Amino acid sequence: MGTSTTTKSTKSKSKKETKKSSPSKSKTSTTVSTPAPALNFTGPVLILDSGGWTVKHGLIHQNQQQQQQQNTTPSPPPSIQQTPNATGKPKHQLTTLIADQINSVKQQNQLSITRPIERGYIVDLGTQYLIWKRIICDLESLNVIVPGSLLAAAVAAASSTTKKKKKKKRKRSDEQEESPEKKSNLPQDTTTNCCIFYMTQPFTPLVISQRVDEVLFHDFNFSTVCKRLCQCCSAFHYLNLLKECKKWEEQPLLQEEVEDEMKDVKEKKDMLEDEIRSKNSKATSLTTWMDDETKCCCIVDCGFSFTHVVPTFDARAVQKGIRRINIGGKILTNLLKEQISYRQWNMMDDFAIVNSVKEDTCFISPKRTDFDEFMLYARQTKKGLRSFDRDFVLPDFVHSFQGKVELPALLRRKMEWEERQREKKRKEEEEKQKKATEGEKGADTSGTIAEDNIPATSKEEDAEKNKTEAAEKDENYDEKCDASKNDDHDDKDNNNDDDDGSDSDDNSDEEDEKTKQQKKKENLLRLQKQRQKEIERAKYIQEQEQQSLEISVERFTIPEIIFTPSYIGLVNSCGLGEAIVQSIQSCDAELRAALYHNIVLTGGTVLLPGFKERVEMEVRSLAPDNYVVRVFLPEDPVHFAWKGAHELVRQKEFLDESCMSKKQWEVSKEMDTTTNQQAKTADDGVSPGLGKSEKEVGLIIM
């Protein structure tokens, strides 16, 4: 017993010394965690971004990374797969649909959906494990094996048979050469050789992170786990975009050089054309977006269940500047659902439909003053005649499975009437212009006549004299002409009597054909008109039968909560503009100008129209005047962080930071168990070396 107590005491002292030494390192670097030792890794990497609405994932092999680093040819875009992060259970059934199985159900309002993430943190780890298992088991086509799958059972059976054969037969030099051939038939890449790159959120509790590590290491059997903040990955991708823009400006891509390469190598033609289009599109969108070479940016991540503002330097988070708002897309959909169900239809069970209503109709007013103006306009005008009123036609789940946005009937008639008036005004203006041009021409002709200096009276007298003389001379000539005309008419009548019999038949046939063609055309026009009327009637009947939601003020009042949370009772929480300014002002003075100059928007809620303009106006009104405010909205803000993680994996040194192997995890787990045991014994007031019997003896002595 004495030896055991001494060994335990020495171990506890050594552990305490290590714990005391570790805080000294953390004090020196407050913003960045201490780097882990370098790890040698050559297997595939699984990038996993589990958000509140969807899970973004993709597998990258190490061979592809080496080829992309060696070759200068353009690399294809990364393959990102997106699956819903939820499980659904049909009513009155025992089956559960996991992840992508939910999309097979067209009428999703019949499912009771459960989500494992609430407010950005994993709350139900059991359902999250099922979703991850569903995602990782789909990777069996890429030779990645998960414990409990069919491939894992096959590998275990194959290994057991080989062990039995080895026990029966003695090992020889010839048999040792045959054994690798048997192993080569099995899939080489497994989860034991695979690394997972898991993206986390700031302020995650330690208990949740430990449970996640246990699932990834113990249940899925990954060799290494790399953790990085989602916002840091998006910052890394943003900095790489700025570097690429700088390269394009310094070395522009010439069309002549590309044509020469395309003539030499026909296989690379498509790849080069895609590269030209992508680079030209990026260059046009980022021509005014210059790199200030400060390596600073402020990431605004507005997702499904939260909103984070994370200032970064060199793709590393500044911890004292991180701010969080407990408002996301889920709160907006829930509020819209309550208002619609209170005013029109009961939509409390139709979360997916209301979410599509939010994505298709809602917008953000670009200014705070515009919000007040819209509200005054709504009070003064009738519902259905406002410019922002819309009707969302609900799906009937027979002919259509997705809703669509339409204009209200009153607003449609009003707009048609306005268009007619505009056309009338245009026609009137054209007629006025024509009359004006004709008047100018008439004025020009009258001017030419007025140039003659001859009086009008003399002209009239001369004309009358000429007429009388001509009439006297032509009296005899008219008589002669009348006689000749009568003779000619008699001859023509005699000739026409002979030709009438032949021409009358031809003319009658031609007239019959013309009448037939005219009748056919008239019948076709009648049929077309009837069909158009029938189509219009069918549309009118469908419009009357279909159910639609009248959305008016809700389009801009609900997204306004992101900037003014006090409207829903969150008095203590600040808006998004105030949170950005607070996070930047809390950083060092040297970084503030660069952070104001590089504000990046990511997340699905950012796609609402008017979001970028409103953020820019809010920050500009609250920030000091000597700083330049610039806001960047990427083309694909949902997958922006995943692309940054993909670029981090390409680097050789990505495993040196925020990574842990399975051996390190096992050692840390043992350390945690020993510390917990020591803490329990310290609370009881007994030394760690005493057993139960000695404890009872000590109590008796006391």
Side-chain angles (χ1 to χ4, degrees):
M1 295 294 288
T3 57
S4 64
T5 53
T6 54
T7 54
K8 288 181 181 178
S9 63
T10 54
K11 287 181 182 178
S12 62
K13 287 179 182 178
S14 63
K15 289 172 185 176
K16 287 179 181 178
E17 288 176 359
T18 54
K19 287 181 180 178
K20 288 179 181 177
S21 61
S22 60
S24 62
K25 293 180 182 179
S26 63
K27 286 179 182 178
T28 55
S29 62
T30 56
T31 59
V32 183
S33 61
T34 57
L39 297 170
N40 294 321
F41 183 75
T42 58
V45 180
L46 176 65
I47 301 171
L48 190 68
D49 181 10
S50 59
W53 181 252
T54 56
V55 179
K56 282 76 72 178
H57 58 91
L59 190 71
I60 300 166
H61 289 280
Q62 200 72 13
N63 296 324
Q64 294 177 358
Q65 299 172 23
Q66 292 175 0
Q67 290 176 1
Q68 289 174 4
Q69 290 175 1
Q70 291 175 2
N71 297 328
T72 57
T73 57
S75 61
S79 59
I80 305 170
Q81 295 179 3
Q82 190 172 352
T83 57
N85 194 6
T87 59
K89 195 171 182 180
K91 294 178 181 179
H92 308 292
Q93 292 184 15
L94 298 174
T95 58
T96 56
L97 303 174
I98 301 166
D100 57 345
Q101 293 177 353
I102 295 170
N103 295 327
S104 62
V105 179
K106 293 180 179 179
Q107 197 171 356
Q108 293 185 4
N109 59 354
Q110 294 181 356
L111 300 174
S112 59
I113 292 170
T114 58
R115 300 186 186 277
I117 291 175
E118 293 290 337
R119 294 187 180 181
Y121 304 130
I122 297 170
V123 177
D124 191 356
L125 193 59
T127 56
Q128 189 67 70
Y129 170 75
L130 293 173
I131 294 162
W132 286 346
K133 190 176 180 181
R134 174 76 181 171
I135 290 165
I136 296 167
C137 285
D138 290 338
L139 302 173
E140 288 182 355
S141 60
L142 299 171
N143 296 330
V144 177
I145 299 171
V146 180
S149 62
L150 295 173
L151 277 174
V155 171
S159 62
S160 64
T161 53
T162 53
K163 286 179 181 179
K164 288 178 181 179
K165 288 179 181 179
K166 284 181 180 179
K167 285 180 181 179
K168 290 179 181 179
K169 295 180 180 180
R170 294 179 181 179
K171 292 181 181 180
R172 293 178 182 179
S173 60
D174 297 333
E175 292 176 356
Q176 288 177 358
E177 293 176 358
E178 292 176 357
S179 61
E181 293 178 356
K182 294 179 182 179
K183 291 181 181 178
S184 63
N185 294 325
L186 299 172
Q188 295 179 358
D189 293 334
T190 62
T191 49
T192 56
N193 298 326
C194 183
C195 172
I196 186 167
F197 191 94
Y198 180 70
M199 282 184 268
T200 60
Q201 297 296 334
F203 305 121
T204 53
L206 184 62
V207 177
I208 294 171
S209 63
Q210 287 177 355
R211 294 291 177 85
V212 170
D213 292 336
E214 189 174 355
V215 168
L216 295 175
F217 281 118
H218 184 266
D219 295 331
F220 292 113
N221 201 12
F222 284 104
S223 62
T224 54
V225 175
C226 299
K227 287 185 178 181
R228 198 73 181 266
L229 285 176
C230 184
Q231 292 80 15
C232 294
C233 295
S234 57
F236 187 79
H237 184 51
Y238 174 71
L239 295 174
N240 285 332
L241 283 175
L242 294 178
K243 288 178 184 177
E244 288 178 0
C245 293
K246 191 175 181 181
K247 287 180 183 178
W248 299 334
E249 290 175 358
E250 291 177 355
Q251 297 178 358
L253 194 143
L254 299 174
Q255 190 75 19
E256 296 177 357
E257 296 177 358
V258 173
E259 288 177 357
D260 295 333
E261 291 180 359
M262 286 162 65
K263 289 178 183 178
D264 297 334
V265 184
K266 293 181 180 180
E267 294 178 355
K268 297 180 181 179
K269 185 176 179 181
D270 297 332
M271 296 289 287
L272 289 167
E273 287 178 353
D274 294 335
E275 186 182 11
I276 293 162
R277 288 171 185 171
S278 63
K279 285 190 176 183
N280 288 330
S281 64
K282 288 180 181 177
T284 52
S285 62
L286 295 171
T287 47
T288 58
W289 206 264
M290 301 295 290
D291 186 9
D292 51 6
E293 296 181 356
T294 56
K295 296 182 180 180
C296 292
C297 63
C298 183
I299 305 297
V300 180
D301 188 6
C302 189
F304 180 69
S305 54
F306 59 84
T307 301
H308 280 123
V309 181
V310 181
T312 60
F313 173 72
D314 196 9
R316 299 164 190 268
V318 182
Q319 290 182 359
K320 62 183 179 181
I322 298 171
R323 296 291 182 273
R324 176 186 170 88
I325 303 170
N326 292 321
I327 294 172
K330 187 177 180 181
I331 291 172
L332 299 181
T333 52
N334 286 328
L335 289 169
L336 183 61
K337 186 170 63 173
E338 288 176 358
Q339 289 189 7
I340 289 169
S341 60
Y342 178 73
R343 293 176 181 175
Q344 300 180 46
W345 301 95
N346 187 5
M347 303 290 290
M348 294 301 291
D349 295 331
D350 299 328
F351 186 85
I353 294 170
V354 176
N355 193 11
S356 63
V357 172
K358 181 195 75 176
E359 292 175 355
D360 294 337
T361 59
C362 288
F363 68 93
I364 293 169
S365 56
K367 295 179 183 178
R368 196 182 290 272
T369 56
D370 293 338
F371 177 77
D372 298 331
E373 290 177 358
F374 287 153
M375 292 300 291
L376 287 172
Y377 174 69
R379 289 172 186 171
Q380 291 173 0
T381 56
K382 186 181 178 181
K383 188 176 181 181
L385 294 171
R386 301 162 188 164
S387 59
F388 48 78
D389 288 348
R390 295 292 182 273
D391 286 347
F392 187 84
V393 180
L394 297 172
D396 57 356
F397 298 106
V398 177
H399 302 287
S400 62
F401 297 95
Q402 290 182 354
K404 60 181 180 179
V405 182
E406 291 182 353
L407 291 170
L410 293 172
L411 186 61
R412 199 186 305 159
R413 292 172 187 170
K414 183 181 177 182
M415 292 175 74
E416 289 175 356
W417 180 71
E418 288 177 354
E419 287 179 358
R420 289 173 186 171
Q421 283 186 344
R422 288 172 186 171
E423 288 178 358
K424 287 180 181 179
K425 287 181 180 179
R426 287 174 187 173
K427 289 179 181 179
E428 289 176 357
E429 288 177 357
E430 289 177 356
E431 289 177 356
K432 287 180 181 179
Q433 288 178 359
K434 287 181 181 179
K435 288 179 180 179
T437 53
E438 289 175 357
E440 290 176 357
K441 289 179 181 179
D444 294 332
T445 55
S446 64
T448 54
I449 292 164
E451 290 177 357
D452 298 332
N453 294 319
I454 298 167
T457 56
S458 63
K459 288 181 181 180
E460 291 176 356
E461 290 175 356
D462 294 331
E464 288 177 355
K465 288 179 181 180
N466 291 323
K467 286 179 181 179
T468 54
E469 290 176 358
E472 290 175 355
K473 289 179 181 180
D474 293 336
E475 284 178 355
N476 297 320
Y477 179 75
D478 291 332
E479 292 176 356
K480 292 178 182 180
C481 288
D482 292 331
S484 62
K485 284 180 182 179
N486 292 321
D487 295 331
D488 292 329
H489 281 297
D490 294 331
D491 295 330
K492 287 180 181 179
D493 292 331
N494 293 322
N495 292 322
N496 288 324
D497 292 332
D498 297 330
D499 295 330
D500 285 336
S502 62
D503 292 333
S504 62
D505 296 330
D506 296 331
N507 292 324
S508 63
D509 294 333
E510 290 177 357
E511 288 177 355
D512 292 333
E513 289 178 357
K514 288 180 180 178
T515 53
K516 287 179 181 179
Q517 289 177 358
Q518 287 179 358
K519 287 179 180 179
K520 286 180 180 179
K521 289 179 181 179
E522 289 176 356
N523 291 324
L524 289 171
L525 291 170
R526 287 174 185 173
L527 290 171
Q528 288 178 357
K529 288 179 180 179
Q530 287 177 359
R531 288 175 183 174
Q532 288 179 357
K533 288 180 180 179
E534 288 176 357
I535 291 164
E536 289 177 356
R537 287 174 185 174
K539 286 182 179 179
Y540 180 72
I541 291 164
Q542 285 180 0
E543 287 178 356
Q544 287 184 346
E545 289 179 354
Q546 67 188 5
Q547 295 178 348
S548 61
L549 299 173
E550 296 177 358
I551 297 167
S552 177
V553 183
E554 296 87 0
R555 292 185 65 192
F556 59 90
T557 54
I558 287 166
E560 188 68 20
I561 293 158
I562 298 168
F563 298 93
T564 54
S566 60
Y567 288 166
I568 58 171
L570 298 174
V571 181
N572 295 324
S573 64
C574 59
L576 183 59
E578 295 173 359
I580 293 166
V581 173
Q582 285 180 10
S583 66
I584 293 171
Q585 290 294 328
S586 63
C587 297
D588 296 334
E590 298 173 353
L591 304 175
R592 291 173 188 170
L595 292 172
Y596 278 117
H597 198 243
N598 296 298
I599 298 171
V600 184
L601 303 176
T602 60
T605 310
V606 171
L607 293 170
L608 291 172
F611 195 95
K612 178 188 171 183
E613 291 79 6
R614 182 61 181 275
V615 169
E616 194 170 357
M617 291 296 295
E618 289 281 335
V619 175
R620 180 65 275 170
S621 62
L622 296 171
D625 296 333
N626 55 352
Y627 294 132
V628 178
V629 177
R630 190 176 64 169
V631 181
F632 175 68
L633 179 62
E635 294 178 355
D636 189 5
V638 177
H639 302 106
F640 197 75
W642 196 95
K643 291 176 183 177
H646 182 264
E647 292 173 356
L648 274 170
V649 169
R650 288 182 185 178
Q651 291 188 351
K652 294 180 180 179
E653 298 177 353
F654 84 100
L655 284 168
D656 295 340
E657 299 177 356
S658 64
C659 290
M660 183 184 288
S661 65
K662 192 172 182 180
K663 292 180 180 178
Q664 292 176 356
W665 173 72
E666 288 174 353
V667 172
S668 65
K669 191 176 181 182
E670 289 177 358
M671 295 275 285
D672 292 333
T673 53
T674 53
T675 52
N676 290 326
Q677 287 178 1
Q678 289 176 5
K680 286 180 181 179
T681 54
D683 292 333
D684 294 334
V686 182
S687 62
L690 295 174
K692 289 183 179 180
S693 61
E694 292 179 356
K695 182 179 177 181
E696 291 174 359
V697 172
L699 290 170
I700 291 164
I701 291 165
M702 291 297 288

